[in-house]
Each structure stands twice: as structure tokens, then as C-alpha cells.
Amino acid sequence: MEREQQYLTKLYEQLDGMRAYAQRRLRTVLLETGGTPQARSERESFTQLYSEDLSKYDAAEHGLCFGRIDIAADDSGDGAEGENRYIGRIGILDESADYETLLLDWRAPLARPFYLATTAAPDGVTRRRHIRSRNRKVTALNDEYLDLDAARRAGVVGGDGGVGSESALLAALNAARTGHMNDIVETIQHEQDAIIRSEHKSVLVVQGGPGTGKTAVALHRAAYLLYTYRQQLDKAGVLIIGPNSTFLDYIGQVLPSLGETGVLLSTIGNLYPGVRATLEDSLRAGELKGSLAMLEVLKKAVRDWQEVPREPIRLYFDGHQLELDRKIVTKARGRARSSRRPHNLARPIFAASVVDALTDQLAAAIGANPLGGRNLLSQTDLTEIRDEMRADPEIQRAIAGLWPILTPQEVLGGLWADPKRLANAAGQLSAADRAELYRSDSGEFSDADAPLLDELAELLGIDDSEERERSRRRWRAQLAEAQDALDILTGSAPQDLEDDLDPELLMAYDLIDASQLAERQQVRTRQTTAERAAGDRTWTYGHVIVDEAQELSEMAWRMVMRRIPNRWITAVGDVAQTGDPAGASSWQQVLEPYVAKRWKLTELTVNYRTPSEIMAVAADVLAAIDPAAPAPRSVRDSGFEPTATRVAATELGDEIKRQIAAEADQPGTTAVIVPHDLAPELAHLSGDSVRVLTVHEVKGLEFDAVVLAEPHRILSESPRGLNDLYVALTRATQRLAVVHSAELPQVLHPLG
């Protein structure tokens, strides 16, 4: 203990020195102002660099060093001694000793034996030591001897801290939950490490049952990839998609604790910039919106805005009456559509065709040759008329009414709120299905709407000509102001100096011109890669991780694939836990349209979260979902058998309160998992360590204890009720209590 404390103190001294250096450099950079555009760009880069370094050092403060491996001397006969490698959250070098490695980053290749070495394949490791610390003090050591001779020399024979001991892992698994996910960097297991460090460059599917560590593996894989491919991924960024905001809050501290802060976390509902999903769809509406049938609905919805007038539109231009009739508009619409451009980008073609037709109409009226010859208007005359028509407000209003500039929000909100537009676009759906989709246009959207907005953005295109013109006008105004300032300086220059001295006096206007002065007044905000990506719908990421990937609909996958053209994806999930009716029933179904056979399936088979007592109950539910699916093997017992209590429906709330009170003396967190329609009634039971949640909200989460209410209603409220019940049963790490007012479902009869 004393030796390891001395070493840990040395590491923290090095960390303090690194932090102090970064703080000094950051202060120096922030005090610098002005300079050339290149100098300003360099300052921004250094500011970001030192800020990220400080964040990394602060994140490594807790549990800086958590392990050591002792490597045996080789058998070369040259007298070389073995080495001790210390493993931690970041790498630390000793600059005063020729940059000797003091601490290996857990992602470094030399650190890998810490996770992979076993008694059967020790890889040169004689001993693996787990070091626990708190507030820079070593609190416990746990040794695993992987070499029998080394164990005998140390006087160790099995047991805790003996040969191949897993006490460090079991201690971490039995620790009370805090409401936020902890990293597993100290206890990564062999099958998890293989996935974390996988070199597969297409879609890597991580399939695993409840409690197998899928989410932890995905997050540590993100950290590993950022470490290994830093230059590539720092520029493009990494996107992590989770099932809901509760889940993102739950995992939010894992990557910062691993020294990574530049990753964007989002749900599908919030992935479309400028829109936050606040509405909730019915199960049927969500299923409809997630299907590929929506592609044709959205195309028709856009075309529905491309109108043809029933009666001619009378226009007045330069004192002459013109008519915009069906023939002109139909021809213009055909030209615009045949260009195959998105709606907004095809509008100039439509407008040009209309203006050409109106120009010909006016030319026929005012330029007709009374002798019957060619029209008297020249090409120059016709060009001038076209230019004037393009600027004519009345003509432009008519064009805008027939082919308007549209936003995705405008089209989708209008589609759901207008029964006529809905019938025109979704006529193939039944009246009942259209009724499920109908809602008032409040300007708000649901999770399932986000992929549709993204699809509409592709169909509409972005017409940024107005924004470009506004930017040009702002720049011209800034340039004029800068020139005015320089003119004032020029006018105020001394006029009574001797001629031979004038060339030696440098004034402001000799050193800077108007464009340079205007540029210095530009307000710039420094954004991280994640911040820039979050506001840009067209951003393409270097890597995407999708957690609970089985919940994504076909339309959601289209949205994800647009953001990752290189198709380097880690998809984490379990099709046995698919609860969304629009979700996946097989990985092949959702992935092969995009990557054919280039996806790879990996599996996690060990259940670290769910104790064997609870898994015995959940296994019956899994068998009902898929008799061929193997249940993940639990590595531990909790000592608590699941319980089931039947009460009258009127006493349900009181019984749940009693179950919560029974957990009050136990450490950790409690979840009350309820059917969707019961959540508002029981929401008041939530507190500091207790949360009332639906099955959808507990996806990916874990709690020390779970009180599961009314399982028969969870089964009946969704077409995939068995999957939802399986999820609900497997959230607890210690204790499970079922409270019900009706008879238990057949799959839960062992509890009765």
C-alpha cells in the first residue's frame, strides 16, 4: 500500500504540473488580441487545445491510476528484468527522465494485457493488480496472479486476491447505483475488449441481452476510436444516438470521465437542427411514420404545394392585362419537375418558364406588326421586359402562390393538420390510419417526425440565396462604415507638416484598408466540432454509435445513414428487446439495403447486471418471444428472490408506496416501472432515489431495485408487449418486486 501510494502521489504531481502548464498557456493565449487572420486562427486553435487538455486532466482526477501489470522477464538470457506497467485514464510521461512512461493510457496497445491476460493465456503477465483510490489516496489493492509459480512465491493459494480472482469485477457489479452510468475502464472483460478495439470499418453490430454491457462497450469504443484515430475523428466528430433524453443524461458523464468531451449525444427526435421533439405519437401513428411507405406520402405532399390554377389568374403589368392560365402553369411545372431538382431549387426554372410565357403574351399584344411581319420588339426589348417582370411584385406573388418556397416544418405541420392534404398525399392509407396521423399544427413535432423532416429537407432543398444576399448586404455595410472611419482619419491628418517629413509619418490609413478594418470587427464564436455539427443538418460524421439500435424505424435509419456516408457505424442493441412497433425484427432487414453483406455481427453473452434469480424469471419471457434465443448467462447471485404481490386495483398505489418504503434503508436507486397510462397517476412518487418511469423511458438504464406495476397492462398496451415486459424485468441489479391487481400473465406464473 505504501509503495503504491508513493507512486500515485508522483503521478498526481505530474498531473498537477500538466494542468498548471495548460492553465498558463491558456491565460497567455487569451490575453493576446489583434494580429493577422492567421494569428487569430492560431489563437483559436490553441485556446481549444488547452481548454480540452484542462477538461481531460480534470476528468482524470478521480481514479487516475487503477491498475498495474507485472510482466515477466523474457527467456533470452541477457539478464533483462521484468517490468511493471501502470494503467490509467490518461497517459503520463516523465519529462525529467527522458520521457519515461509513468502511466499508460488504458487504450494504448501496451495496456491491453491488463484486460486480456488470463491464467490460460497470461501473455507474459505474472500479476494483475487493481488499485482503488479516493481523493488521491490508495484505499485498496486486489491482486490476481496469472502465473502459478509467481503466486506460490508470493504465498498465495486461490481465494480472494488469488489466482485468477474476479473480486474487482464483482465489487463493481454489486456497488450501489447512483443514477448515472459509471465507466467500466477498470473492469473491461475479454469479449468486451475485443469489440471495443475492433478494426471493422463498416457497420459493427453489437448484439447482447440485458446487462451484457452493450452501452458501456459502445461508449468505451467511442473513446478508443477517438484515441486511435484522433486526427480523423476530431475533424469529423463522433455522433452517439440514444433512445431518449433520460438515457443520454444517464450516460452523459462516461465519456468525459474517459477524457473525451467532443462527442455529440442526441436522440433521433432531436437530431434535426432547430427542432426538439415534444409531442408523443400513438403507437399506430409512430408505426406508420416509421415505415418506408412514408417516402411516397412525403413526395406527394410536396407536389401538392405545386398548384395549377383552376381559373386564369389576371395580372396587370405596365398597363396591360395578362393571363396566367392552366396551360402556362402546367408547362412550367413540367419543366421544373423534369429537372429532377428539389422543390425549392427547381422554383427558378418554374418562375423562368412563367415569365417567358408572360413576356411572349405581352410581346404579342404590344409588338405585333400591323403588316403581318415579324414582331417589332427586339431581343433586347424582350430581355428588358423579362428583367422587369422578375422584379414585379404582383407577378412574383402569383408565382409564389403556385410554387412557394417551403420549409420541412411547414410541409409536415400542414400535412398532419389538413385532412384534405393528408387525403391527397396518403390516399393509400385507410381513413382510420389517416385519423391517427391527424393533429393540429402547433409547430411542435414528435420523435417519429424528425426523420420525416429530414426526408423533406432532401425533397425541398435549401434555397439560401436570400441568406447569401443578406450576408453580402451586411458585408457591404460594414465595409462602408470602415471606409468612413478611415476617411475621418484621413481628413483629420495634420496639414501643416513639412513636405519632406510627410513620407516618414505612418498613419492608420497607411497600414490598413477598409476590408481589413471591417474584418477585424467581425464577431467570431469558437465552437467545438460537436457544436458545429449539431447545427448543421448536412454534417457528415467520422463515426456514429447507435444505442438501442433495434428501436430505430426504417425512416430513422435513412436519417442516420445520411450523416455517415462512410458507413462506419457501431450499432448496439438486442432485437428481443424491440418495443417500438416500427423497430427492427432483424439486423439484416435494416442494414443490408445500405451496406449489403459488409456488416459484422458480434455478440455479448455474459449478463453482468441482472442477477440469476431475476434472470430465471426473465428467461421464460425471452423463450416466449423467441424460443431459439439463448438467455445471457448471469455471473452472480443477489441473494434476493423476486416477489409478486396481488392487491385490489384501488390499493395499487398504497402497495407500491410500501414497496418503495421497504427499499428506503437500502443503498442505491429504485425504479417504479408502470404502464403508460398509469405514469401520470403515480408520478408524485418520484424522488431523489426513486423514479416512476414507463418501459420506453427505462431503455438502457439500470437500478438497484425495481417495482414492476401491472405487468398484464404492459403486455396489452403494445403489439410488442412481451418485449416490453422482458425489458422491464431486467432493469434491476439486486431486487425485483411485482405488484399486480389482475392475474399474472402466463409467462410470469413462476412468480405466483
Side-chain angles (χ1 to χ4, degrees), residues 54-69:
L54 287 173
S55 296
K56 180 173 65 176
Y57 301 151
D58 289 343
E61 176 68 28
H62 175 66
L64 173 63
C65 173
F66 54 78
R68 185 185 109 186
I69 49 177

PDB file of all heavy atoms in Angstrom, residues 54-69:
ATOM      1  N   LEU A  54      -7.314  20.787 -20.303  1.00  0.00           N
ATOM      2  CA  LEU A  54      -7.751  21.005 -18.920  1.00  0.00           C
ATOM      3  C   LEU A  54      -8.960  20.139 -18.593  1.00  0.00           C
ATOM      4  O   LEU A  54      -9.049  19.577 -17.489  1.00  0.00           O
ATOM      5  CB  LEU A  54      -8.078  22.484 -18.701  1.00  0.00           C
ATOM      6  CG  LEU A  54      -6.867  23.423 -18.641  1.00  0.00           C
ATOM      7  CD1 LEU A  54      -7.316  24.877 -18.602  1.00  0.00           C
ATOM      8  CD2 LEU A  54      -6.015  23.109 -17.405  1.00  0.00           C
ATOM      9  N   SER A  55      -9.892  20.018 -19.527  1.00  0.00           N
ATOM     10  CA  SER A  55     -11.058  19.156 -19.303  1.00  0.00           C
ATOM     11  C   SER A  55     -10.621  17.707 -19.118  1.00  0.00           C
ATOM     12  O   SER A  55     -11.138  16.982 -18.259  1.00  0.00           O
ATOM     13  CB  SER A  55     -12.028  19.263 -20.479  1.00  0.00           C
ATOM     14  OG  SER A  55     -12.547  20.566 -20.598  1.00  0.00           O
ATOM     15  N   LYS A  56      -9.647  17.280 -19.904  1.00  0.00           N
ATOM     16  CA  LYS A  56      -9.151  15.905 -19.810  1.00  0.00           C
ATOM     17  C   LYS A  56      -8.466  15.662 -18.468  1.00  0.00           C
ATOM     18  O   LYS A  56      -8.690  14.625 -17.829  1.00  0.00           O
ATOM     19  CB  LYS A  56      -8.184  15.636 -20.964  1.00  0.00           C
ATOM     20  CG  LYS A  56      -7.593  14.245 -20.981  1.00  0.00           C
ATOM     21  CD  LYS A  56      -6.795  14.005 -22.249  1.00  0.00           C
ATOM     22  CE  LYS A  56      -5.581  14.916 -22.330  1.00  0.00           C
ATOM     23  NZ  LYS A  56      -4.749  14.623 -23.515  1.00  0.00           N
ATOM     24  N   TYR A  57      -7.671  16.617 -18.024  1.00  0.00           N
ATOM     25  CA  TYR A  57      -6.976  16.451 -16.745  1.00  0.00           C
ATOM     26  C   TYR A  57      -7.966  16.450 -15.584  1.00  0.00           C
ATOM     27  O   TYR A  57      -7.810  15.676 -14.628  1.00  0.00           O
ATOM     28  CB  TYR A  57      -5.948  17.562 -16.556  1.00  0.00           C
ATOM     29  CG  TYR A  57      -4.891  17.617 -17.644  1.00  0.00           C
ATOM     30  CD1 TYR A  57      -4.276  18.825 -17.997  1.00  0.00           C
ATOM     31  CD2 TYR A  57      -4.517  16.474 -18.342  1.00  0.00           C
ATOM     32  CE1 TYR A  57      -3.321  18.889 -19.001  1.00  0.00           C
ATOM     33  CE2 TYR A  57      -3.553  16.523 -19.351  1.00  0.00           C
ATOM     34  CZ  TYR A  57      -2.974  17.728 -19.686  1.00  0.00           C
ATOM     35  OH  TYR A  57      -2.038  17.781 -20.677  1.00  0.00           O
ATOM     36  N   ASP A  58      -8.964  17.296 -15.660  1.00  0.00           N
ATOM     37  CA  ASP A  58      -9.964  17.333 -14.585  1.00  0.00           C
ATOM     38  C   ASP A  58     -10.748  16.020 -14.541  1.00  0.00           C
ATOM     39  O   ASP A  58     -11.063  15.507 -13.462  1.00  0.00           O
ATOM     40  CB  ASP A  58     -10.931  18.501 -14.796  1.00  0.00           C
ATOM     41  CG  ASP A  58     -10.265  19.847 -14.548  1.00  0.00           C
ATOM     42  OD1 ASP A  58      -9.184  19.872 -13.915  1.00  0.00           O
ATOM     43  OD2 ASP A  58     -10.809  20.875 -14.993  1.00  0.00           O
ATOM     44  N   ALA A  59     -11.068  15.473 -15.721  1.00  0.00           N
ATOM     45  CA  ALA A  59     -11.820  14.220 -15.773  1.00  0.00           C
ATOM     46  C   ALA A  59     -10.999  13.062 -15.222  1.00  0.00           C
ATOM     47  O   ALA A  59     -11.550  12.106 -14.670  1.00  0.00           O
ATOM     48  CB  ALA A  59     -12.242  13.922 -17.207  1.00  0.00           C
ATOM     49  N   ALA A  60      -9.691  13.119 -15.361  1.00  0.00           N
ATOM     50  CA  ALA A  60      -8.818  12.035 -14.901  1.00  0.00           C
ATOM     51  C   ALA A  60      -8.508  12.128 -13.415  1.00  0.00           C
ATOM     52  O   ALA A  60      -7.865  11.225 -12.862  1.00  0.00           O
ATOM     53  CB  ALA A  60      -7.510  12.053 -15.693  1.00  0.00           C
ATOM     54  N   GLU A  61      -8.943  13.180 -12.750  1.00  0.00           N
ATOM     55  CA  GLU A  61      -8.623  13.393 -11.342  1.00  0.00           C
ATOM     56  C   GLU A  61      -9.088  12.223 -10.474  1.00  0.00           C
ATOM     57  O   GLU A  61      -8.394  11.793  -9.559  1.00  0.00           O
ATOM     58  CB  GLU A  61      -9.275  14.703 -10.862  1.00  0.00           C
ATOM     59  CG  GLU A  61      -9.094  15.012  -9.385  1.00  0.00           C
ATOM     60  CD  GLU A  61      -7.646  15.343  -9.032  1.00  0.00           C
ATOM     61  OE1 GLU A  61      -6.913  15.849  -9.906  1.00  0.00           O
ATOM     62  OE2 GLU A  61      -7.258  15.089  -7.876  1.00  0.00           O
ATOM     63  N   HIS A  62     -10.276  11.716 -10.747  1.00  0.00           N
ATOM     64  CA  HIS A  62     -10.806  10.601  -9.953  1.00  0.00           C
ATOM     65  C   HIS A  62     -10.390   9.279 -10.593  1.00  0.00           C
ATOM     66  O   HIS A  62     -10.691   9.021 -11.758  1.00  0.00           O
ATOM     67  CB  HIS A  62     -12.330  10.683  -9.870  1.00  0.00           C
ATOM     68  CG  HIS A  62     -12.944   9.502  -9.179  1.00  0.00           C
ATOM     69  ND1 HIS A  62     -12.743   9.228  -7.846  1.00  0.00           N
ATOM     70  CD2 HIS A  62     -13.736   8.505  -9.657  1.00  0.00           C
ATOM     71  CE1 HIS A  62     -13.392   8.124  -7.525  1.00  0.00           C
ATOM     72  NE2 HIS A  62     -14.005   7.675  -8.605  1.00  0.00           N
ATOM     73  N   GLY A  63      -9.698   8.458  -9.854  1.00  0.00           N
ATOM     74  CA  GLY A  63      -9.279   7.168 -10.386  1.00  0.00           C
ATOM     75  C   GLY A  63      -8.231   7.284 -11.463  1.00  0.00           C
ATOM     76  O   GLY A  63      -8.274   6.556 -12.465  1.00  0.00           O
ATOM     77  N   LEU A  64      -7.275   8.196 -11.276  1.00  0.00           N
ATOM     78  CA  LEU A  64      -6.240   8.437 -12.285  1.00  0.00           C
ATOM     79  C   LEU A  64      -5.529   7.151 -12.680  1.00  0.00           C
ATOM     80  O   LEU A  64      -5.374   6.837 -13.856  1.00  0.00           O
ATOM     81  CB  LEU A  64      -5.231   9.457 -11.753  1.00  0.00           C
ATOM     82  CG  LEU A  64      -3.984   9.706 -12.612  1.00  0.00           C
ATOM     83  CD1 LEU A  64      -4.375  10.287 -13.956  1.00  0.00           C
ATOM     84  CD2 LEU A  64      -3.001  10.619 -11.887  1.00  0.00           C
ATOM     85  N   CYS A  65      -5.088   6.401 -11.701  1.00  0.00           N
ATOM     86  CA  CYS A  65      -4.407   5.121 -11.946  1.00  0.00           C
ATOM     87  C   CYS A  65      -5.221   4.027 -11.266  1.00  0.00           C
ATOM     88  O   CYS A  65      -5.494   4.106 -10.076  1.00  0.00           O
ATOM     89  CB  CYS A  65      -2.991   5.158 -11.381  1.00  0.00           C
ATOM     90  SG  CYS A  65      -2.135   3.568 -11.437  1.00  0.00           S
ATOM     91  N   PHE A  66      -5.615   3.020 -12.030  1.00  0.00           N
ATOM     92  CA  PHE A  66      -6.468   1.974 -11.455  1.00  0.00           C
ATOM     93  C   PHE A  66      -5.895   0.577 -11.591  1.00  0.00           C
ATOM     94  O   PHE A  66      -6.525  -0.390 -11.148  1.00  0.00           O
ATOM     95  CB  PHE A  66      -7.856   2.014 -12.090  1.00  0.00           C
ATOM     96  CG  PHE A  66      -7.842   1.948 -13.591  1.00  0.00           C
ATOM     97  CD1 PHE A  66      -7.636   0.752 -14.249  1.00  0.00           C
ATOM     98  CD2 PHE A  66      -8.032   3.096 -14.340  1.00  0.00           C
ATOM     99  CE1 PHE A  66      -7.611   0.692 -15.631  1.00  0.00           C
ATOM    100  CE2 PHE A  66      -8.023   3.049 -15.734  1.00  0.00           C
ATOM    101  CZ  PHE A  66      -7.811   1.846 -16.374  1.00  0.00           C
ATOM    102  N   GLY A  67      -4.724   0.442 -12.204  1.00  0.00           N
ATOM    103  CA  GLY A  67      -4.207  -0.901 -12.367  1.00  0.00           C
ATOM    104  C   GLY A  67      -2.724  -0.969 -12.640  1.00  0.00           C
ATOM    105  O   GLY A  67      -2.077   0.041 -12.953  1.00  0.00           O
ATOM    106  N   ARG A  68      -2.202  -2.178 -12.488  1.00  0.00           N
ATOM    107  CA  ARG A  68      -0.789  -2.436 -12.773  1.00  0.00           C
ATOM    108  C   ARG A  68      -0.665  -3.868 -13.240  1.00  0.00           C
ATOM    109  O   ARG A  68      -1.352  -4.771 -12.739  1.00  0.00           O
ATOM    110  CB  ARG A  68       0.041  -2.225 -11.506  1.00  0.00           C
ATOM    111  CG  ARG A  68       1.541  -2.352 -11.723  1.00  0.00           C
ATOM    112  CD  ARG A  68       2.277  -2.256 -10.407  1.00  0.00           C
ATOM    113  NE  ARG A  68       2.845  -3.520  -9.994  1.00  0.00           N
ATOM    114  CZ  ARG A  68       3.441  -3.740  -8.823  1.00  0.00           C
ATOM    115  NH1 ARG A  68       3.491  -2.772  -7.930  1.00  0.00           N
ATOM    116  NH2 ARG A  68       3.950  -4.912  -8.543  1.00  0.00           N
ATOM    117  N   ILE A  69       0.184  -4.072 -14.228  1.00  0.00           N
ATOM    118  CA  ILE A  69       0.504  -5.442 -14.629  1.00  0.00           C
ATOM    119  C   ILE A  69       2.010  -5.639 -14.508  1.00  0.00           C
ATOM    120  O   ILE A  69       2.802  -4.762 -14.855  1.00  0.00           O
ATOM    121  CB  ILE A  69       0.027  -5.763 -16.060  1.00  0.00           C
ATOM    122  CG1 ILE A  69       0.462  -4.669 -17.057  1.00  0.00           C
ATOM    123  CG2 ILE A  69      -1.467  -5.971 -16.105  1.00  0.00           C
ATOM    124  CD1 ILE A  69       0.080  -4.986 -18.503  1.00  0.00           C
TER     125      ILE A  69
END
